Amino acid sequence: MIAIIGILVALLLPAIQASRESARKVQCQNHLKQIGTAFLNHESVQGFLPTSGWGYKWVGDPDAGYGEEQPGGWAYNILAYLEQGDLRESGISLATLLPYLSLDGGGDPSTLPTTLVTTPLAVFNCPSKRPLQVYPLDATPGRATLAHNSPACTRAADCFVARGDYRVNSGSVNQGDDEGPPISADPGALMVASRNQNGVSYQRSTVRVASIIDGTSKTALVGEKYLNPDHYLDGAYTADDQCVFSGHDNDNNGYTSSGSAVNHPEQDRPGLNLPFHFGSPHVAGLNMAFCDGSVQVVAYDVDDMVWIRYGGRNDNDARLY
């Protein structure tokens, strides 16, 4: 009898696991649907799709609006459209921060709140990849503080941060990220010209849906991000070492091509590090939201040219190449 029970369990276990993964995959798709809807609502109200902010050493500023002067990334910029307005307001404004950093000793920056960067949201999590929780800061020497405008979030203070499992489409050319400007009375004035991008959200972008001339159903919006499973939890990988609310960075921004090589979507697997790539832990393909609001499963063996063109909103514009 015990042997029979063991055989039955062995037969049923794969089916149970498959059923659980199917449910997790549906959750992941639903999250992308919510994110896509928030993007389009943002565009309807603000007149452009969410920007990706200034760079990885900056997070969201509640007083900096939604355009080029907003240092926070796309996830921060859709909070109000995900019914998370209070979390958006919990960020630290530059006006609040600067007195703490003054030579007059305006205060101890370690006492400033870390609510924004330490609050994980289910909508940015793929349950097939990893649990909804906070994760350790980047362990790279010289990066002891998460962001200029979140000075209390440090390794020394054991600050663990919220991360995301999705990347926005920054295009198919000029792949890269940026630290952003140093802290100053007017850091926005110190911004260098951003790279010429052809995606829908990137450093200081203000892309309108009307400028997606390739068609909204053929242009990617946000998709699952590739991540080496060896680093799901440890924060030791360059493409998963910041915060979900950080500005333009390979944690949160992806490209379908580097301009010289195809950034093929891949299934997450140990030992393979692919910053800027889209991918997922799912077997059949990755979930991706498109600019028409739809969510599709894109196979890992998708045609190269089809995949590259998912990244460009205006692939026929020769000025971008």
mmCIF file of all heavy atoms in Angstrom, residues 94-110:
data_model
loop_
_atom_site.group_PDB
_atom_site.id
_atom_site.type_symbol
_atom_site.label_atom_id
_atom_site.label_comp_id
_atom_site.label_asym_id
_atom_site.label_seq_id
_atom_site.Cartn_x
_atom_site.Cartn_y
_atom_site.Cartn_z
ATOM 1 N N LEU A 94 13.771 67.174 -3.240
ATOM 2 C CA LEU A 94 15.076 67.820 -3.212
ATOM 3 C C LEU A 94 15.083 68.983 -2.223
ATOM 4 O O LEU A 94 16.070 69.213 -1.518
ATOM 5 C CB LEU A 94 15.441 68.312 -4.613
ATOM 6 C CG LEU A 94 16.889 68.719 -4.838
ATOM 7 C CD1 LEU A 94 17.829 67.549 -4.604
ATOM 8 C CD2 LEU A 94 17.073 69.287 -6.241
ATOM 9 N N ALA A 95 13.984 69.710 -2.148
ATOM 10 C CA ALA A 95 13.891 70.841 -1.224
ATOM 11 C C ALA A 95 14.034 70.382 0.224
ATOM 12 O O ALA A 95 14.618 71.081 1.061
ATOM 13 C CB ALA A 95 12.566 71.565 -1.420
ATOM 14 N N THR A 96 13.500 69.201 0.534
ATOM 15 C CA THR A 96 13.624 68.655 1.889
ATOM 16 C C THR A 96 15.035 68.157 2.143
ATOM 17 O O THR A 96 15.585 68.312 3.246
ATOM 18 C CB THR A 96 12.631 67.492 2.081
ATOM 19 O OG1 THR A 96 11.299 67.977 1.930
ATOM 20 C CG2 THR A 96 12.792 66.847 3.447
ATOM 21 N N LEU A 97 15.642 67.575 1.129
ATOM 22 C CA LEU A 97 16.942 66.926 1.283
ATOM 23 C C LEU A 97 18.096 67.908 1.446
ATOM 24 O O LEU A 97 18.975 67.717 2.297
ATOM 25 C CB LEU A 97 17.198 66.033 0.068
ATOM 26 C CG LEU A 97 18.568 65.370 -0.032
ATOM 27 C CD1 LEU A 97 18.778 64.395 1.124
ATOM 28 C CD2 LEU A 97 18.718 64.658 -1.364
ATOM 29 N N LEU A 98 18.130 68.966 0.638
ATOM 30 C CA LEU A 98 19.315 69.817 0.574
ATOM 31 C C LEU A 98 19.741 70.417 1.918
ATOM 32 O O LEU A 98 20.942 70.477 2.207
ATOM 33 C CB LEU A 98 19.121 70.909 -0.471
ATOM 34 C CG LEU A 98 19.174 70.410 -1.925
ATOM 35 C CD1 LEU A 98 18.860 71.543 -2.890
ATOM 36 C CD2 LEU A 98 20.543 69.816 -2.232
ATOM 37 N N PRO A 99 18.816 70.858 2.775
ATOM 38 C CA PRO A 99 19.266 71.379 4.078
ATOM 39 C C PRO A 99 20.017 70.337 4.913
ATOM 40 O O PRO A 99 20.928 70.682 5.667
ATOM 41 C CB PRO A 99 17.955 71.786 4.759
ATOM 42 C CG PRO A 99 17.023 72.066 3.629
ATOM 43 C CD PRO A 99 17.373 71.056 2.582
ATOM 44 N N TYR A 100 19.665 69.074 4.743
ATOM 45 C CA TYR A 100 20.343 68.017 5.492
ATOM 46 C C TYR A 100 21.781 67.826 5.020
ATOM 47 O O TYR A 100 22.630 67.326 5.756
ATOM 48 C CB TYR A 100 19.589 66.698 5.342
ATOM 49 C CG TYR A 100 18.375 66.582 6.216
ATOM 50 C CD1 TYR A 100 17.180 67.186 5.870
ATOM 51 C CD2 TYR A 100 18.414 65.854 7.400
ATOM 52 C CE1 TYR A 100 16.054 67.077 6.672
ATOM 53 C CE2 TYR A 100 17.295 65.736 8.208
ATOM 54 C CZ TYR A 100 16.117 66.353 7.832
ATOM 55 O OH TYR A 100 15.006 66.243 8.635
ATOM 56 N N LEU A 101 22.048 68.198 3.772
ATOM 57 C CA LEU A 101 23.366 67.993 3.197
ATOM 58 C C LEU A 101 24.217 69.264 3.225
ATOM 59 O O LEU A 101 25.344 69.261 2.737
ATOM 60 C CB LEU A 101 23.228 67.519 1.745
ATOM 61 C CG LEU A 101 22.404 66.253 1.542
ATOM 62 C CD1 LEU A 101 22.341 65.909 0.065
ATOM 63 C CD2 LEU A 101 22.969 65.090 2.339
ATOM 64 N N SER A 102 23.693 70.334 3.780
ATOM 65 C CA SER A 102 24.401 71.615 3.767
ATOM 66 C C SER A 102 25.560 71.606 4.756
ATOM 67 O O SER A 102 25.607 70.819 5.702
ATOM 68 C CB SER A 102 23.447 72.755 4.113
ATOM 69 O OG SER A 102 23.105 72.701 5.494
ATOM 70 N N LEU A 103 26.492 72.515 4.527
ATOM 71 C CA LEU A 103 27.643 72.638 5.419
ATOM 72 C C LEU A 103 27.252 73.232 6.759
ATOM 73 O O LEU A 103 28.032 73.219 7.713
ATOM 74 C CB LEU A 103 28.720 73.521 4.757
ATOM 75 C CG LEU A 103 29.309 72.956 3.458
ATOM 76 C CD1 LEU A 103 30.317 73.955 2.869
ATOM 77 C CD2 LEU A 103 29.998 71.618 3.709
ATOM 78 N N ASP A 104 26.049 73.767 6.835
ATOM 79 C CA ASP A 104 25.585 74.372 8.088
ATOM 80 C C ASP A 104 25.096 73.321 9.075
ATOM 81 O O ASP A 104 24.680 73.655 10.187
ATOM 82 C CB ASP A 104 24.445 75.363 7.805
ATOM 83 C CG ASP A 104 24.898 76.492 6.893
ATOM 84 O OD1 ASP A 104 26.082 76.853 6.950
ATOM 85 O OD2 ASP A 104 24.069 76.995 6.109
ATOM 86 N N GLY A 105 25.116 72.063 8.663
ATOM 87 C CA GLY A 105 24.669 71.010 9.560
ATOM 88 C C GLY A 105 23.181 71.060 9.796
ATOM 89 O O GLY A 105 22.710 71.068 10.939
ATOM 90 N N GLY A 106 22.419 71.085 8.723
ATOM 91 C CA GLY A 106 20.979 71.219 8.826
ATOM 92 C C GLY A 106 20.268 70.013 9.412
ATOM 93 O O GLY A 106 19.092 70.078 9.748
ATOM 94 N N GLY A 107 20.945 68.912 9.544
ATOM 95 C CA GLY A 107 20.313 67.733 10.115
ATOM 96 C C GLY A 107 21.082 66.483 9.746
ATOM 97 O O GLY A 107 22.039 66.522 8.973
ATOM 98 N N ASP A 108 20.667 65.381 10.311
ATOM 99 C CA ASP A 108 21.321 64.101 10.058
ATOM 100 C C ASP A 108 20.561 63.373 8.955
ATOM 101 O O ASP A 108 19.421 62.941 9.168
ATOM 102 C CB ASP A 108 21.323 63.272 11.344
ATOM 103 C CG ASP A 108 21.982 61.920 11.164
ATOM 104 O OD1 ASP A 108 22.466 61.623 10.046
ATOM 105 O OD2 ASP A 108 21.999 61.146 12.137
ATOM 106 N N PRO A 109 21.147 63.215 7.746
ATOM 107 C CA PRO A 109 20.415 62.563 6.658
ATOM 108 C C PRO A 109 20.044 61.123 6.936
ATOM 109 O O PRO A 109 19.131 60.580 6.316
ATOM 110 C CB PRO A 109 21.381 62.675 5.464
ATOM 111 C CG PRO A 109 22.718 62.926 6.048
ATOM 112 C CD PRO A 109 22.474 63.679 7.320
ATOM 113 N N SER A 110 20.712 60.512 7.900
ATOM 114 C CA SER A 110 20.378 59.115 8.228
ATOM 115 C C SER A 110 19.028 58.997 8.916
ATOM 116 O O SER A 110 18.499 57.895 9.080
ATOM 117 C CB SER A 110 21.467 58.502 9.111
ATOM 118 O OG SER A 110 21.474 59.094 10.404
#
